[in-house]
Amino acid sequence: MLPHLNFAESNIDFLGKRRITLVISAVLIILSLVMLATRGINFGIDFTGGTLVEVGYPEAVELDPIREVINEGGFEGAQVQTFGTARDVLIRLPPSEDEEVDEAALSNQVMELLEAGGPEGADLRRVDFVGPSVGEELREQGGLAMLYALVGILIYVAVRFEWRFAAGSVLALVHDVVITLGIFSMLQLEFDLGVLAAILAVIGYSLNDTIVVYDRIRENFRILRKQGTEFVMNNAVNKTLARTIVTSMTTLLVLFALFFLGGAALQNFSVALIIGVIVGTYSSIFIAATAALMLGVDRQVLLPVKKEGADEEDATP
Protein backbone atom coordinates (compact mmCIF):
# COMPACT_ATOMS: atom_id res chain seq x y z
CA MET A 1 0.00 0.00 0.00
CA LEU A 2 1.11 3.56 -0.69
CA PRO A 3 1.97 5.65 2.39
CA HIS A 4 -0.68 8.15 3.42
CA LEU A 5 0.60 11.72 3.37
CA ASN A 6 -1.44 13.88 5.71
CA PHE A 7 -0.58 17.44 4.65
CA ALA A 8 -3.53 18.79 6.60
CA GLU A 9 -1.74 18.26 9.90
CA SER A 10 1.75 19.21 8.74
CA ASN A 11 3.80 21.55 10.89
CA ILE A 12 6.74 22.52 8.70
CA ASP A 13 8.74 25.61 9.60
CA PHE A 14 8.70 27.21 6.15
CA LEU A 15 9.53 30.71 7.35
CA GLY A 16 12.36 29.36 9.46
CA LYS A 17 14.01 28.27 6.18
CA ARG A 18 13.33 31.59 4.47
CA ARG A 19 17.01 32.58 4.22
CA ILE A 20 17.78 29.38 2.33
CA THR A 21 14.81 29.74 0.00
CA LEU A 22 15.55 33.43 -0.60
CA VAL A 23 19.12 32.54 -1.60
CA ILE A 24 17.82 29.83 -3.96
CA SER A 25 15.33 32.24 -5.52
CA ALA A 26 17.94 35.00 -5.83
CA VAL A 27 20.36 32.64 -7.57
CA LEU A 28 17.64 31.45 -9.99
CA ILE A 29 16.57 35.01 -10.78
CA ILE A 30 20.15 36.19 -11.35
CA LEU A 31 20.87 33.21 -13.61
CA SER A 32 17.64 33.89 -15.50
CA LEU A 33 18.51 37.55 -16.00
CA VAL A 34 22.00 36.58 -17.20
CA MET A 35 20.48 34.13 -19.69
CA LEU A 36 18.03 36.76 -20.93
CA ALA A 37 20.80 39.35 -21.28
CA THR A 38 23.31 37.07 -23.03
CA ARG A 39 21.22 34.57 -25.01
CA GLY A 40 17.96 36.46 -25.28
CA ILE A 41 14.62 34.90 -26.15
CA ASN A 42 14.16 32.73 -29.22
CA PHE A 43 11.12 34.55 -30.62
CA GLY A 44 8.96 32.63 -33.07
CA ILE A 45 7.52 33.80 -36.34
CA ASP A 46 4.66 35.52 -34.49
CA PHE A 47 7.11 38.07 -33.07
CA THR A 48 9.96 38.18 -35.60
CA GLY A 49 7.98 37.98 -38.81
CA GLY A 50 8.58 35.52 -41.63
CA THR A 51 6.76 32.81 -43.54
CA LEU A 52 5.51 29.45 -42.30
CA VAL A 53 4.93 26.61 -44.76
CA GLU A 54 3.30 23.37 -43.64
CA VAL A 55 3.94 20.35 -45.87
CA GLY A 56 2.51 16.83 -45.60
CA TYR A 57 4.01 13.55 -46.83
CA PRO A 58 2.40 10.13 -47.34
CA GLU A 59 5.08 8.49 -45.18
CA ALA A 60 7.51 9.50 -42.42
CA VAL A 61 10.46 11.53 -43.76
CA GLU A 62 13.92 12.56 -42.59
CA LEU A 63 14.39 16.28 -41.92
CA ASP A 64 18.07 16.61 -42.93
CA PRO A 65 17.48 16.23 -46.70
CA ILE A 66 14.69 18.82 -46.52
CA ARG A 67 16.94 21.27 -44.64
CA GLU A 68 19.69 20.85 -47.25
CA VAL A 69 17.31 21.46 -50.14
CA ILE A 70 15.78 24.56 -48.53
CA ASN A 71 19.16 26.07 -47.59
CA GLU A 72 20.68 25.40 -51.02
CA GLY A 73 17.62 27.01 -52.60
CA GLY A 74 18.50 30.38 -51.02
CA PHE A 75 16.53 30.20 -47.77
CA GLU A 76 19.43 30.22 -45.33
CA GLY A 77 18.42 30.17 -41.68
CA ALA A 78 15.15 28.35 -42.37
CA GLN A 79 13.90 26.10 -39.57
CA VAL A 80 12.55 22.67 -40.44
CA GLN A 81 10.74 20.53 -37.86
CA THR A 82 8.09 17.86 -37.65
CA PHE A 83 4.57 19.02 -36.85
CA GLY A 84 2.41 16.54 -34.96
CA THR A 85 3.66 13.40 -36.75
CA ALA A 86 6.79 12.42 -38.69
CA ARG A 87 4.78 12.85 -41.91
CA ASP A 88 3.97 16.52 -41.26
CA VAL A 89 6.77 19.05 -41.70
CA LEU A 90 6.81 22.71 -40.70
CA ILE A 91 9.19 25.04 -42.56
CA ARG A 92 9.83 28.47 -41.05
CA LEU A 93 11.46 30.90 -43.45
CA PRO A 94 13.31 33.96 -42.09
CA PRO A 95 11.61 37.37 -42.38
CA SER A 96 11.98 39.39 -45.55
CA GLU A 97 12.56 43.14 -45.65
CA ASP A 98 9.88 43.36 -48.31
CA GLU A 99 6.45 43.90 -46.72
CA GLU A 100 4.77 43.03 -50.04
CA VAL A 101 5.75 39.35 -50.01
CA ASP A 102 3.76 37.18 -52.42
CA GLU A 103 2.78 34.17 -50.30
CA ALA A 104 1.71 32.14 -53.31
CA ALA A 105 4.99 32.71 -55.17
CA LEU A 106 7.05 31.96 -52.05
CA SER A 107 5.20 28.75 -51.27
CA ASN A 108 5.44 27.69 -54.93
CA GLN A 109 9.21 28.25 -54.80
CA VAL A 110 9.49 26.10 -51.67
CA MET A 111 7.37 23.33 -53.22
CA GLU A 112 9.46 23.39 -56.40
CA LEU A 113 12.60 22.91 -54.32
CA LEU A 114 11.06 20.03 -52.38
CA GLU A 115 9.75 18.31 -55.51
CA ALA A 116 13.13 18.68 -57.25
CA GLY A 117 15.43 17.44 -54.47
CA GLY A 118 13.41 16.47 -51.40
CA PRO A 119 11.42 13.39 -50.44
CA GLU A 120 8.65 12.41 -52.83
CA GLY A 121 4.96 13.11 -52.27
CA ALA A 122 5.16 16.63 -50.79
CA ASP A 123 1.71 18.16 -50.33
CA LEU A 124 1.25 21.84 -49.42
CA ARG A 125 -1.09 22.17 -46.42
CA ARG A 126 -0.83 25.75 -45.19
CA VAL A 127 1.07 29.03 -45.70
CA ASP A 128 1.18 31.86 -43.14
CA PHE A 129 3.04 35.16 -43.45
CA VAL A 130 3.81 37.72 -40.76
CA GLY A 131 5.52 40.97 -41.75
CA PRO A 132 8.48 42.32 -39.71
CA SER A 133 6.55 45.37 -38.50
CA VAL A 134 3.58 43.22 -37.43
CA GLY A 135 5.90 40.87 -35.54
CA GLU A 136 7.54 43.78 -33.73
CA GLU A 137 4.14 45.21 -32.81
CA LEU A 138 3.01 41.84 -31.44
CA ARG A 139 6.20 41.63 -29.35
CA GLU A 140 5.58 45.07 -27.85
CA GLN A 141 1.89 44.36 -27.22
CA GLY A 142 2.77 41.05 -25.56
CA GLY A 143 5.17 42.77 -23.16
CA LEU A 144 2.56 45.41 -22.36
CA ALA A 145 -0.04 42.69 -21.73
CA MET A 146 2.14 41.16 -18.99
CA LEU A 147 2.85 44.60 -17.51
CA TYR A 148 -0.83 45.56 -17.45
CA ALA A 149 -1.69 42.23 -15.84
CA LEU A 150 0.80 42.84 -13.02
CA VAL A 151 -0.40 46.42 -12.47
CA GLY A 152 -4.04 45.30 -12.42
CA ILE A 153 -3.20 42.59 -9.89
CA LEU A 154 -1.34 45.11 -7.72
CA ILE A 155 -4.38 47.42 -7.64
CA TYR A 156 -6.91 44.63 -7.04
CA VAL A 157 -5.01 42.97 -4.17
CA ALA A 158 -4.26 46.35 -2.58
CA VAL A 159 -8.00 47.15 -2.52
CA ARG A 160 -9.14 43.63 -1.61
CA PHE A 161 -6.52 42.93 1.06
CA GLU A 162 -3.71 45.36 1.92
CA TRP A 163 -0.98 47.09 -0.07
CA ARG A 164 1.75 44.96 1.54
CA PHE A 165 -0.04 41.83 0.36
CA ALA A 166 -0.33 43.41 -3.10
CA ALA A 167 3.40 44.11 -3.24
CA GLY A 168 4.17 40.61 -1.98
CA SER A 169 1.95 38.96 -4.58
CA VAL A 170 3.50 40.96 -7.42
CA LEU A 171 7.00 40.07 -6.17
CA ALA A 172 6.02 36.39 -6.23
CA LEU A 173 4.59 36.75 -9.76
CA VAL A 174 7.69 38.54 -11.07
CA HIS A 175 9.75 35.75 -9.48
CA ASP A 176 7.73 33.11 -11.40
CA VAL A 177 7.73 34.92 -14.75
CA VAL A 178 11.46 35.77 -14.72
CA ILE A 179 12.49 32.20 -13.89
CA THR A 180 10.16 30.77 -16.56
CA LEU A 181 11.55 33.15 -19.19
CA GLY A 182 15.09 32.36 -18.03
CA ILE A 183 14.57 28.63 -18.59
CA PHE A 184 13.14 29.33 -22.05
CA SER A 185 16.19 31.48 -22.80
CA MET A 186 18.62 28.85 -21.52
CA LEU A 187 17.02 26.05 -23.55
CA GLN A 188 16.38 28.38 -26.52
CA LEU A 189 12.80 27.15 -26.80
CA GLU A 190 10.68 29.03 -29.30
CA PHE A 191 8.62 31.83 -27.77
CA ASP A 192 5.42 32.42 -29.72
CA LEU A 193 1.91 33.69 -28.99
CA GLY A 194 0.99 30.34 -27.43
CA VAL A 195 3.84 30.63 -24.94
CA LEU A 196 2.83 34.22 -24.15
CA ALA A 197 -0.68 32.97 -23.40
CA ALA A 198 0.86 30.31 -21.16
CA ILE A 199 2.87 32.97 -19.26
CA LEU A 200 -0.31 34.98 -18.66
CA ALA A 201 -2.05 31.79 -17.49
CA VAL A 202 0.85 31.15 -15.10
CA ILE A 203 0.38 34.64 -13.66
CA GLY A 204 -3.27 33.88 -12.94
CA TYR A 205 -2.51 30.41 -11.54
CA SER A 206 0.27 31.60 -9.25
CA LEU A 207 -1.80 34.57 -8.08
CA ASN A 208 -4.67 32.26 -7.14
CA ASP A 209 -2.37 30.14 -4.95
CA THR A 210 -0.83 33.24 -3.36
CA ILE A 211 -4.23 34.78 -2.59
CA VAL A 212 -5.33 31.56 -0.87
CA VAL A 213 -2.27 31.74 1.40
CA TYR A 214 -2.79 35.45 2.14
CA ASP A 215 -6.47 34.95 2.91
CA ARG A 216 -5.54 32.21 5.39
CA ILE A 217 -2.93 34.47 6.99
CA ARG A 218 -5.51 37.21 7.48
CA GLU A 219 -7.96 34.72 8.97
CA ASN A 220 -5.30 33.27 11.27
CA PHE A 221 -4.53 36.68 12.76
CA ARG A 222 -8.17 36.84 13.92
CA ILE A 223 -8.13 33.29 15.34
CA LEU A 224 -4.60 32.88 16.78
CA ARG A 225 -4.54 36.10 18.79
CA LYS A 226 -1.84 35.02 21.26
CA GLN A 227 0.63 33.70 18.68
CA GLY A 228 3.49 35.56 17.02
CA THR A 229 3.51 36.71 13.40
CA GLU A 230 5.90 34.01 12.16
CA PHE A 231 3.86 31.23 13.82
CA VAL A 232 0.62 32.57 12.31
CA MET A 233 2.10 32.69 8.80
CA ASN A 234 3.66 29.24 9.11
CA ASN A 235 0.33 27.86 10.22
CA ALA A 236 -1.38 29.46 7.22
CA VAL A 237 1.06 27.91 4.75
CA ASN A 238 0.72 24.50 6.41
CA LYS A 239 -3.09 24.67 6.42
CA THR A 240 -3.16 25.46 2.69
CA LEU A 241 -0.36 23.02 1.80
CA ALA A 242 -2.68 20.11 0.99
CA ARG A 243 -4.78 22.26 -1.32
CA THR A 244 -1.68 23.67 -3.05
CA ILE A 245 -0.05 20.26 -3.60
CA VAL A 246 -3.22 18.51 -4.82
CA THR A 247 -4.10 21.36 -7.19
CA SER A 248 -0.58 21.47 -8.64
CA MET A 249 -0.33 17.70 -9.08
CA THR A 250 -3.67 17.39 -10.88
CA THR A 251 -2.78 20.35 -13.11
CA LEU A 252 0.60 18.82 -13.94
CA LEU A 253 -1.01 15.51 -14.87
CA VAL A 254 -3.07 17.31 -17.52
CA LEU A 255 -0.09 19.34 -18.73
CA PHE A 256 2.17 16.29 -19.09
CA ALA A 257 -0.57 14.56 -21.08
CA LEU A 258 -0.75 17.68 -23.26
CA PHE A 259 3.04 17.67 -23.67
CA PHE A 260 3.32 14.02 -24.71
CA LEU A 261 0.09 13.69 -26.70
CA GLY A 262 -0.62 17.21 -27.94
CA GLY A 263 1.94 17.24 -30.74
CA ALA A 264 4.54 19.82 -31.73
CA ALA A 265 2.00 22.65 -31.97
CA LEU A 266 1.29 22.52 -28.20
CA GLN A 267 4.71 21.42 -26.99
CA ASN A 268 6.20 24.80 -26.05
CA PHE A 269 2.85 25.95 -24.68
CA SER A 270 2.68 22.96 -22.33
CA VAL A 271 6.37 23.32 -21.37
CA ALA A 272 5.79 26.94 -20.33
CA LEU A 273 2.80 25.92 -18.21
CA ILE A 274 4.67 23.00 -16.61
CA ILE A 275 7.59 25.23 -15.63
CA GLY A 276 5.23 27.97 -14.46
CA VAL A 277 3.11 25.65 -12.31
CA ILE A 278 6.19 24.12 -10.64
CA VAL A 279 7.81 27.50 -9.97
CA GLY A 280 4.45 29.01 -8.97
CA THR A 281 3.83 26.23 -6.45
CA TYR A 282 7.29 26.78 -4.98
CA SER A 283 6.71 30.53 -4.68
CA SER A 284 3.26 30.05 -3.09
CA ILE A 285 4.77 27.83 -0.40
CA PHE A 286 8.14 29.48 0.22
CA ILE A 287 8.05 33.02 -1.18
CA ALA A 288 4.54 34.48 -0.70
CA ALA A 289 4.48 34.40 3.11
CA THR A 290 8.15 35.36 3.31
CA ALA A 291 7.52 38.43 1.12
CA ALA A 292 4.57 39.45 3.34
CA LEU A 293 6.69 39.05 6.48
CA MET A 294 9.55 41.11 5.01
CA LEU A 295 7.11 43.86 3.99
CA GLY A 296 5.90 44.20 7.58
CA VAL A 297 2.56 42.40 7.57
CA ASP A 298 1.51 41.70 11.19
CA ARG A 299 -1.53 41.80 13.47
CA GLN A 300 -1.37 45.60 13.92
CA VAL A 301 -1.47 46.09 10.14
CA LEU A 302 -4.40 43.75 9.49
CA LEU A 303 -6.33 44.26 12.73
CA PRO A 304 -5.69 47.82 13.89
CA VAL A 305 -6.72 48.51 17.49
CA LYS A 306 -9.75 50.79 17.78
CA LYS A 307 -9.42 53.91 19.88
CA GLU A 308 -11.33 54.00 23.14
CA GLY A 309 -14.70 55.66 22.80
CA ALA A 310 -14.85 55.03 19.03
CA ASP A 311 -17.80 52.67 19.38
CA GLU A 312 -19.70 55.16 21.58
CA GLU A 313 -19.10 57.99 19.10
CA ASP A 314 -20.26 55.82 16.20
CA ALA A 315 -23.39 54.84 18.14
CA THR A 316 -24.30 58.48 18.94
CA PRO A 317 -27.13 59.70 16.65
Side-chain angles (χ1 to χ4, degrees), residues 225-290:
R225 292 183 174 275
K226 296 183 179 181
Q227 301 295 340
T229 300
E230 189 169 323
F231 178 90
V232 170
M233 291 188 175
N234 260 325
N235 181 271
V237 177
N238 279 282
K239 291 299 182 184
T240 57
L241 184 61
R243 180 259 177 207
T244 301
I245 297 297
V246 170
T247 302
S248 298
M249 292 302 295
T250 52
T251 305
L252 286 173
L253 285 175
V254 175
L255 293 177
F256 277 114
L258 196 64
F259 175 79
F260 288 110
L261 304 176
L266 297 175
Q267 198 166 62
N268 289 337
F269 172 79
S270 54
V271 167
L273 283 174
I274 289 170
I275 296 171
V277 168
I278 293 174
V279 177
T281 302
Y282 164 81
S283 69
S284 298
I285 296 172
F286 292 101
I287 303 301
T290 298

Side-chain angles (χ1 to χ4, degrees), residues 80-129:
V80 180
Q81 66 185 77
T82 54
F83 181 76
T85 68
R87 295 177 299 175
D88 301 316
V89 177
L90 205 62
I91 303 172
R92 299 175 184 271
L93 306 177
S96 172
E97 295 181 357
D98 184 9
E99 293 280 355
E100 301 296 331
V101 174
D102 187 344
E103 295 182 31
L106 195 60
S107 60
N108 289 337
Q109 187 177 353
V110 171
M111 294 304 297
E112 290 174 2
L113 291 172
L114 294 176
E115 290 170 358
E120 296 181 356
D123 177 34
L124 180 64
R125 301 278 180 82
R126 175 169 61 102
V127 179
D128 288 333
F129 170 73

